[in-house]
Amino acid sequence: MAKIRTHGSAAVPEICCELARDFIRGAVHVEELPHKWVRPWRFLPRQRRALESCLAWYPGIYRQMVACTAGVRLEFETDASEVLVELRVDEEPRATRKVLEAVDGSGAKLAHDGLSYDVDGRHVALPMPEPGELAGNPREEWGPSVTLELADGVDAGGLLQLPGFGDVHRVRLWLPALRGCELGRIAGNGTYVRPVDPATAASGQADKKPVRLLVLGDSVAQGYVAEDPALAWPSLVASRLGADLLNQGVGAQVFQPTALMGLEGIEPPTLVVVALGENYRYGRCGERVVRREVTEFLAMVDRLWPEAGLVVLPPAPANDSQIVRGSCYAQVPDIVAEAAARLRSQRVAACHAALAMAENPALEGSKLVFDPDGHPTAAGAEELAGVVMAAIEQLECRCLRDFGTFGRCGACVVTAPAPEAEPAAEEPEPAALVLFDLPAEEVAPKPAPKRRRAKKKPAKKRMAKEPAGEPAASAVGPAGNLLVGVSKEEPAAKPKKRQTRRTKKNTSKVPIDEPAASAMEPEDQLANGTMRLLQMDSDAE
């Protein structure tokens, strides 16, 4: 049973005591306060300035919401059976109270938030502590605190366990989702309280690669109004994946590219989930402006973390009665889907991590939705977590499943199995590249290459057509030499020299290159007969 201590209580005897700053998870900045107290922040100082600037849609609301500790938790190991945590919660933001008034209606005003912790597979919910001031001297007195009962301190035989002889407990304390808080010390009645290694805090396995989950969302992702910070859908997804969660969901947020400024310096996430767009229906907006914001936001996410798997959860369709006049919310789901499809193609071409589109269900009914604004109950958050998990499963790469958790090729985004490609035919290797001597019967005969028929050179025909008694046309060579009997297009002296040389070697036989008389033209036959007469005259001499 958990106990809540108020401020100004007497000194609590403890055996082990540590500062809470060493146990914080899910925060990107820890602010130092007096007396060694700290305040965890989910947003960097540069992000907070952007959210509170005139570039934001609702800077006044963001100024209140950024201090909320949604997804922030304390994780530690101890052998104590009882642990006390110094914790002071903030007042409820005015913007939060307006949303909760619509939920409560005329009934009692409830917090719809609280603390909870997981220990040894058990989940224990705690009531929301009352806001309190810091103690005057924390060295002697304890400030407002919460006590966690980890075990009853009695073994199976009914004997009281001494400090240091109890079981080791791994504890995860979830801080409020709808308001901020400050932390002091952690003490227990055991021999030690030590932080858990960030690489194994979520998964619990030292040899498993940690998964870092970043959620960029609105009030639904922040945890409105799940009643328990551990039951918001980002917390459920992180618990199922064994991931280290950074929840940057903030109420009334839209696609604001400047809200990502400074995140290049954080630990790169393994998986990013973008769940924005619902709040466009509450303000006047143009389609061109929204399209530009969505495109720039997703492009910046891709530039910051190209190696991280990306899941886009588009807004659910809404009735016309839920959309203010002048809003283009009816086109927002299609705008988000088109921008995500373009980014998916770009990621595939650049060999970046895969992108999957989730189907946002339209939650209806009192069991899934608390109010007309669509804030889910614990059951509705459970359904949204299932939708996101189904999209994450589409990121599992079948061709690279042995090399990482999330795929890179993008071809495995579809759920249907891809058809197997036929093996490509192997090209025959050239004869000069044969490496092994194979028997003749095993070597496939290669077809002889086709030879092109040489074109008949018309040089002789031109020479034969020259009129008798006139010299052949002359041409000047490249070196200035006079070439006689050669046409300008191509030299024709080589065939004649070759034929003359054969005649000198063997004058009694007809040259083998000589064509038949019947197949020659009349002019060729006359030239051939003249050559024979010259040969007979030389033999007679």
Side-chain angles (χ1 to χ4, degrees):
M1 181 67 181
K3 302 177 183 178
I4 306 297
R5 295 179 182 270
T6 59
H7 68 284
S9 60
V12 179
E14 76 279 351
I15 298 177
C16 56
C17 181
E18 300 290 343
L19 295 176
R21 69 162 62 93
D22 300 327
F23 305 90
I24 297 175
R25 300 287 180 267
V28 294
H29 176 65
V30 177
E31 180 184 358
E32 298 288 342
L33 302 176
H35 306 299
K36 298 184 179 181
W37 282 62
V38 294
R39 174 181 288 274
W41 292 90
R42 300 178 296 140
F43 297 90
L44 295 170
R46 190 176 178 185
Q47 287 182 281
R48 299 201 297 269
R49 290 194 296 269
L51 290 171
E52 298 171 5
S53 68
C54 60
L55 297 177
W57 272 64
Y58 306 104
I61 297 179
Y62 301 156
R63 188 179 295 109
Q64 304 174 40
M65 297 293 183
V66 292
C68 299
T69 53
V72 183
R73 57 212 178 273
L74 301 178
E75 298 191 7
F76 55 88
E77 287 181 344
T78 181
D79 59 352
S81 60
E82 182 178 287
V83 173
L84 185 142
V85 180
E86 277 187 315
L87 182 144
R88 187 192 74 85
V89 296
D90 298 341
E91 295 285 348
E92 189 176 59
R94 295 190 304 273
T96 301
R97 174 42 49 193
K98 290 183 178 180
V99 175
L100 298 182
E101 287 177 356
V103 176
D104 296 331
S106 59
K109 306 301 181 183
L110 303 178
H112 297 284
D113 195 12
L115 295 94
S116 62
Y117 65 96
D118 302 313
V119 54
D120 301 334
R122 296 184 295 114
H123 182 74
V124 182
L126 303 177
M128 176 62 68
E130 292 294 332
E133 299 294 334
L134 293 176
N137 188 358
R139 295 182 180 179
E140 298 179 0
E141 295 182 353
W142 284 75
S145 57
V146 57
T147 302
L148 311 180
E149 299 286 351
L150 307 182
D152 54 6
V154 180
D155 62 6
L159 300 178
L160 183 65
Q161 294 181 354
L162 297 176
F165 290 89
D167 298 331
V168 178
H169 307 284
R170 173 167 290 187
V171 184
R172 178 184 299 167
L173 174 62
W174 295 89
L175 301 182
L178 306 184
R179 62 185 70 194
C181 66
E182 298 173 351
L183 301 169
R185 294 168 292 182
I186 298 179
N189 61 356
T191 59
Y192 67 88
V193 176
R194 62 192 180 196
V196 181
D197 184 8
T200 61
S203 61
Q205 301 179 12
D207 56 345
K208 185 177 180 180
K209 185 178 180 181
V211 176
R212 290 177 292 274
L213 172 63
L214 172 60
V215 176
L216 306 171
D218 47 26
S219 57
V220 177
Q222 183 180 343
Y224 282 79
V225 270
E227 306 287 344
D228 187 339
L231 299 183
W233 72 257
S235 304
L236 296 175
V237 172
S239 299
R240 296 178 185 179
L241 293 176
D244 185 13
L245 171 65
L246 175 58
N247 186 352
Q248 289 201 341
V250 57
Q253 181 59 297
V254 293
F255 285 93
Q256 181 184 346
T258 56
L260 302 176
M261 298 173 62
L263 287 179
E264 64 274 3
I266 68 172
E267 189 84 15
T270 311
L271 177 64
V272 180
V273 180
V274 178
L276 293 167
E278 294 278 356
N279 292 295
Y280 281 117
R281 59 181 172 176
Y282 301 118
R284 298 181 61 183
C285 56
E287 182 178 350
R288 294 179 58 185
V289 175
V290 174
R291 189 179 300 275
R292 184 183 68 248
E293 290 179 347
V294 173
T295 303
E296 291 180 359
F297 188 93
L298 294 180
M300 185 171 291
V301 171
D302 181 61
R303 287 195 301 268
L304 289 173
W305 308 291
E307 304 297 326
L310 180 58
V311 174
V312 179
L313 182 64
N319 299 327
D320 295 339
S321 60
Q322 300 174 346
I323 303 175
V324 301
R325 185 177 181 180
S327 173
C328 65
Y329 182 79
Q331 289 79 31
V332 171
D334 295 335
I335 292 174
V336 176
E338 293 173 4
R342 289 194 301 268
L343 182 58
R344 176 192 297 173
S345 302
Q346 296 171 8
R347 283 200 156 202
V348 172
C351 295
H352 291 171
L355 183 150
M357 280 284 294
E359 296 182 3
N360 195 343
L363 301 178
E364 297 178 355
S366 58
K367 293 184 179 180
L368 301 178
V369 181
F370 258 124
D371 56 2
D373 293 332
H375 294 120
T377 62
E382 180 76 21
E383 184 169 341
L384 287 176
V387 170
V388 175
M389 288 298 300
I392 293 176
E393 292 176 358
Q394 296 180 16
L395 292 177
E396 295 286 348
C397 188
R398 293 191 295 270
C399 56
L400 297 176
R401 64 174 57 181
D402 297 332
F403 301 97
T405 304
F406 301 104
R408 292 172 53 87
C409 69
C412 302
V413 174
V414 295
T415 56
E420 298 182 358
E422 298 181 359
E426 298 182 358
E427 298 182 358
E429 297 182 356
L433 298 179
V434 176
L435 302 179
F436 302 97
D437 295 333
L438 300 176
E441 57 272 9
E442 296 183 8
V443 180
K446 299 179 181 180
K450 295 182 179 180
R451 297 182 179 180
R452 296 183 179 179
R453 300 179 62 180
K455 295 183 179 180
K456 185 177 180 181
K457 297 182 179 181
K460 293 182 179 180
K461 191 176 296 186
R462 291 196 189 99
M463 293 175 62
K465 288 183 180 181
E466 294 289 341
E470 295 183 6
S474 61
V476 180
N481 301 327
L482 184 62
L483 304 179
V484 181
V486 180
S487 63
K488 295 182 180 180
E489 290 80 3
E490 54 184 358
K494 285 186 178 181
K496 189 172 182 179
K497 289 182 179 180
R498 182 181 177 186
Q499 190 173 8
T500 305
R501 194 163 48 246
R502 286 188 180 182
T503 304
K504 290 182 179 180
K505 287 183 180 180
N506 188 5
T507 57
S508 61
K509 296 182 180 181
V510 180
I512 59 175
D513 294 338
E514 180 181 347
S518 60
M520 291 189 297
E521 298 292 336
E523 294 85 356
D524 296 338
Q525 294 179 11
L526 179 60
N528 192 18
T530 305
M531 292 178 63
R532 287 191 176 186
L533 291 175
L534 293 175
Q535 291 177 7
M536 293 174 60
D537 293 342
S538 60
D539 293 340
E541 292 177 358

